[in-house]
DNA sequence: GCCAACGTTGGC
DNA sequence: GCCAACGTTGGC
């Protein structure tokens, strides 16, 4: 079981919209970055991820689960781009902001803190635990 | 709205 | 294969 972090601008696709897709989930299409794609290719059904709102909010708002393994992105004919499907699991009781992550020494190694541009990131088990705690779960 | 960081492209 | 130019992302 591995942990991940998915970024989305809420103006484009928000947590509420993701929740609205229910158990069926949503194709995480549109990623055009090799590192992010490779992360998705490494995912297994059942892996968990944080859902992060970039630009607006700049906070982790919920937890999602990978519900379909990596497959060709339906929004392009370019065979390079694959993506997974994810479904909302539960919101955090309290969103954890980027500022919070920067403020906690145990999170200073997070990709989110150090390479904020990567849209699909790995999260360590320790980071996962810490953020769940901060998020009131 | 600005700009730093980063990734990609393409000329050589 | 190098690197300059360019485009995009996302925090501030």
């Amino acid at each position: 079981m591995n942990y991940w972090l998915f970024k989305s601008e809420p103006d484009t696709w928000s947590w509420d919209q993701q929740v609205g897709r229910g158990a069926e989930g949503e194709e995480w299409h549109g990623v055009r970055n090799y590192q992010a794609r490779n992360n998705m290719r490494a995912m297994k059904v059942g892996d968990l991820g944080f859902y992060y709102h970039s630009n607006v909010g700049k906070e982790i708002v919920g937890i999602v689960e990978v519900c379909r393994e990596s497959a060709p992105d339906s929004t392009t004919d370019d065979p390079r781009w694959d993506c997974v499907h994810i479904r909302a699991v539960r919101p955090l009781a309290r969103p954890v902001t980027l500022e919070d992550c920067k403020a906690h020494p145990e999170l200073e190694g997070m990709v989110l803190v150090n390479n904020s541009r990567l849209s699909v990131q790995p999260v360590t088990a320790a980071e996962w635990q810490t953020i769940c705690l901060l998020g009131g779960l």
Side-chain angles (χ1 to χ4, degrees):
Chain A
M1 152 79 84
N2 286 304
Y3 299 107
W4 311 94
L5 183 145
F6 297 85
K7 285 196 312 191
S8 183
E9 293 190 40
D11 290 345
T12 304
W13 186 255
S14 70
W15 169 251
D16 286 343
Q17 286 173 294
Q18 182 66 41
V19 169
R21 297 290 295 147
E24 198 182 322
E26 175 73 9
E27 181 187 42
W28 204 247
H29 54 236
V31 172
R32 302 290 182 265
N33 171 282
Y34 292 109
Q35 246 183 298
R37 182 208 62 188
N38 290 345
N39 287 334
M40 287 198 284
R41 284 185 174 175
M43 292 178 190
K44 298 244 168 36
V45 171
D47 277 1
L48 297 176
F50 288 127
Y51 196 95
Y52 176 79
H53 277 167
S54 62
N55 284 313
V56 180
K58 280 168 280 182
E59 58 192 9
I60 295 166
V61 293
I63 291 176
V64 294
E65 180 184 15
V66 176
C67 60
R68 194 187 304 178
E69 71 182 13
S70 191
D73 186 328
S74 71
T75 63
T76 178
D77 290 332
D78 192 326
R80 290 178 297 174
W81 306 119
D82 296 346
C83 63
V84 297
H85 283 53
I86 59 175
R87 64 175 184 84
V89 175
R90 59 171 11 163
L92 297 191
R94 233 169 349 102
V96 176
T97 66
L98 178 60
E99 199 182 0
D100 292 334
C101 293
K102 288 181 172 173
H104 283 79
E106 59 268 53
L107 297 178
E108 70 184 5
M110 272 193 85
V111 179
L112 186 67
V113 172
N114 297 292
N115 181 10
S116 61
R117 292 193 50 198
L118 184 60
S119 62
V120 179
Q121 315 175 351
V123 171
T124 69
E127 289 160 356
W128 182 269
Q129 298 299 335
T130 301
I131 289 166
C132 285
L133 213 64
L134 292 174
L137 299 183

